[in-house]
Amino acid sequence: MVSPEEQYADHFLENDELLNRVKETIVAKGMPEISIAPGFGRLLTLLVRSTKAKQVLEIGALGGYSGICLARGLGPEGKLISLELKQEFADVASENLKEAGFESQVEYRVGLALDSLEQLKQEGRTFDFFFIDADKENYPAYLEFAIELANPGAIIAGDNTFLRGRTLHPDKNGPSVQAIRRFNEMMATDERLIGTILPAYDGLAVAMVK
């Protein structure tokens, strides 16, 4: 449920025709309508640009909504690697990033994200910015990989930290809820990070790697 405050903020972001077309494509393809909230999408662009990130890693592409937000923050030499489990989702995201003019700056890797992360580690890749928005049970593992692959001062952001309120209720203790609680705790208290949780939309945790 979007709050009045969120509705007010989103009002200023509603005329983004490109992102609106991405959402329409997601619906038309029968994909889950779970893209990042508009306000947080704009925040991703702001964070990538303000930190001058050149190497960005996205875990969970879906239809490319967040990928466009991330790519918009990149300079001309910046690169985005996006990990996606399903080839059909990666294909949709790739087409949307192409339409947005970022085809030459994005690379998709399809398959289990943990396998792709291990491959990136073996390749010696490092990153300045991470966005995590994939299967919730692996959030803590994704965070550990992000810390390992991070350049000093890298930013890590993770979406859906409230799980539509389930994270907040003690009677909810499924695997995804427990994993997100652990992820939130790590983002806010791990000594390797300086982090916080933004209590809007479905929650966004943001941290800097020391």
Side-chain angles (χ1 to χ4, degrees):
M1 189 72 171
V2 179
S3 70
E5 294 84 0
E6 292 160 353
Q7 289 178 335
Y8 173 79
D10 286 347
H11 171 73
F12 298 104
L13 308 175
E14 290 174 347
N15 294 323
D16 194 315
E17 294 183 3
L18 178 60
L19 292 179
N20 287 340
R21 287 199 299 273
V22 171
K23 290 192 287 187
E24 290 169 1
T25 300
I26 288 172
V27 172
K29 297 285 186 179
M31 300 166 66
E33 297 177 53
I34 53 173
S35 298
I36 191 169
F40 282 161
R42 182 65 63 87
L43 179 61
L44 292 182
T45 302
L46 185 156
L47 289 172
V48 172
R49 182 168 298 183
S50 64
T51 58
K52 296 180 172 59
K54 294 183 178 179
Q55 298 294 326
V56 175
L57 179 63
E58 175 184 45
I59 304 175
L62 192 62
Y65 188 105
S66 58
I68 290 173
C69 295
L70 293 165
R72 282 175 169 175
L74 291 171
E77 297 181 356
K79 299 292 183 182
L80 168 67
I81 292 181
S82 185
L83 311 183
E84 174 53 52
L85 176 64
K86 298 183 178 182
Q87 183 67 59
E88 59 268 31
F89 288 6
D91 290 342
V92 172
S94 179
E95 187 62 32
N96 285 329
L97 268 289
K98 179 180 179 180
E99 181 182 350
F102 299 117
E103 182 180 17
S104 65
Q105 291 182 271
V106 62
E107 171 191 345
Y108 288 92
R109 299 198 180 193
V110 179
L112 294 172
L114 290 175
D115 293 342
S116 296
L117 288 164
E118 182 61 36
Q119 182 62 42
L120 290 168
K121 176 182 174 181
Q122 296 302 319
E123 293 172 11
R125 301 294 297 269
T126 58
F127 298 89
D128 307 306
F129 196 100
F130 302 82
F131 178 54
I132 303 171
D133 190 10
D135 56 300
K136 308 313 174 190
E137 292 183 33
N138 280 315
Y139 263 42
Y142 296 152
L143 178 55
E144 286 291 350
F145 264 110
I147 294 170
E148 190 167 359
L149 299 176
N151 292 318
I155 298 294
I156 303 170
D159 197 22
N160 304 122
T161 57
F162 294 155
L163 288 179
R164 293 188 171 90
R166 284 182 290 155
T167 307
L168 311 178
H169 292 288
D171 59 329
K172 303 293 186 181
N173 289 291
S176 294
V177 173
Q178 293 186 49
I180 289 296
R181 285 178 182 148
R182 175 61 181 151
F183 174 81
N184 291 342
E185 179 182 1
M186 292 173 65
M187 288 286 277
T189 67
D190 193 293
E191 293 183 354
R192 298 167 293 178
L193 304 171
I194 303 170
T196 189
I197 299 172
L198 305 180
Y201 302 104
D202 197 29
L204 186 78
V206 182
M208 174 183 287
V209 180
K210 294 180 181 178

